[in-house]
Amino acid sequence: MEKAHMVRKPNIERLRRHWDKQAESYDRQMGLAERMLFDDTREWVCSQARGRTLEIAVGTGLNLPWYPAGVRLTGIDFSPAMLERARTRAATGHRRARLRLGDAEELDFPDASFDTVVCTFSLCAVPDERRAVTEMVRVLRPGGLLLLADHVVSTSAVLRAAQALLEVVTIRVGNEHFRRRPLAHVMAAGLEIERHSRFHRGMIERIRARKPAALDS
């Protein structure tokens, strides 16, 4: 018998406070990773978005400048402080976007609400990433596009060991995981993988997946 999918839940309010505290310095903290690891990933992901687009865990809005002009963007995050930063970035960049509080594991949208769903460098910190992917697929229309990018378990044994050591601290402090593979959940959900790449010794993974016109229930 298959074991039930069990996830040990962190204290959500403590986690929210953690990310609220990170909001002011988040962009600076991400700066090194952007230069050393992420390459053109934000542009790669966001430039493919079309139509009604939902960004999960929009954070401080680092992706906002990369969306095409015609995208009708909704962004959610569970940190109010992060959202305030995103709203400021949207206003400064003259980017129209509906930015609101939300939970990646319980999206407050009807089925098939969006043409594109985006999530970058955030599933690593969602308590139950499989449930989050299931919710993304639910709100995506048949034929819609799922665009994901994240840091994942490395193809290098040495780096995998380093990632495991990092997780001893990062999971406890901010529920941040370095050895997840969202691709497995996307494939299990029945989506067609149209593009997939890994680089920097497999630590960065990018996925473009299409929801079929009809999924088996």
Side-chain angles (χ1 to χ4, degrees):
M1 181 179 294
E2 184 181 356
K3 291 182 179 180
H5 176 62
M6 298 292 292
V7 173
R8 185 175 181 179
K9 286 280 191 180
N11 183 301
I12 296 302
E13 286 309 313
R14 184 191 64 78
L15 202 56
R16 195 190 309 273
R17 289 194 299 271
H18 167 78
W19 289 108
D20 279 347
K21 289 177 182 177
Q22 297 299 309
E24 183 175 354
S25 60
Y26 183 78
D27 291 1
R28 293 193 302 274
Q29 293 174 23
M30 290 293 283
L32 181 61
E34 299 280 353
R35 295 190 297 272
M36 299 292 292
L37 292 174
F38 297 170
D39 296 353
D40 65 343
T41 294
R42 293 189 188 279
E43 181 179 8
W44 184 90
V45 168
C46 299
S47 65
Q48 298 180 70
R50 297 292 183 271
R52 299 164 298 168
T53 296
L54 173 66
E55 181 174 343
I56 305 294
V58 68
T60 62
L62 288 172
N63 286 336
L64 295 179
W66 300 110
Y67 285 105
V71 163
R72 301 190 298 281
L73 182 63
T74 298
I76 68 158
D77 202 281
F78 90 140
S79 163
M82 288 280 191
L83 279 174
E84 283 306 308
R85 296 270 168 177
R87 291 185 179 113
T88 298
R89 177 170 266 122
T92 303
H94 306 289
R95 156 63 67 182
R96 295 186 63 183
R98 296 173 58 229
L99 302 173
R100 53 187 277 191
L101 283 171
D103 183 346
E105 297 179 24
E106 296 182 14
L107 296 176
D108 187 22
F109 303 103
D111 296 355
S113 297
F114 296 96
D115 303 300
T116 308
V117 176
V118 167
C119 186
T120 62
F121 307 110
S122 298
L123 279 173
C124 53
V126 173
D128 188 342
E129 80 279 18
R130 186 170 81 170
R131 183 171 176 178
V133 169
T134 298
E135 279 289 273
M136 293 179 202
V137 174
R138 179 185 67 78
V139 301
L140 194 61
R141 69 164 176 81
L145 197 60
L146 179 64
L147 297 164
L148 302 179
D150 224 317
H151 54 75
V152 299
V153 62
S154 175
T155 53
S156 160
V158 172
L159 290 176
R160 286 198 300 274
Q163 288 174 317
L165 286 174
L166 279 172
E167 285 184 337
V168 172
V169 176
T170 60
I171 292 176
R172 177 175 57 83
V173 172
N175 197 57
E176 187 165 8
H177 298 253
F178 288 89
R179 295 180 296 163
R180 287 177 167 176
R181 287 295 307 279
L183 177 65
H185 305 310
V186 175
M187 295 176 67
L191 273 64
E192 176 189 353
I193 308 301
E194 295 186 340
R195 297 183 193 172
H196 169 246
S197 62
R198 294 176 75 182
F199 52 95
H200 290 306
R201 298 195 179 185
M203 289 190 295
I204 306 301
E205 185 164 52
R206 308 195 300 203
I207 301 165
R208 170 187 166 117
R210 182 81 58 181
K211 184 175 180 177
L215 278 173
D216 292 336
S217 58

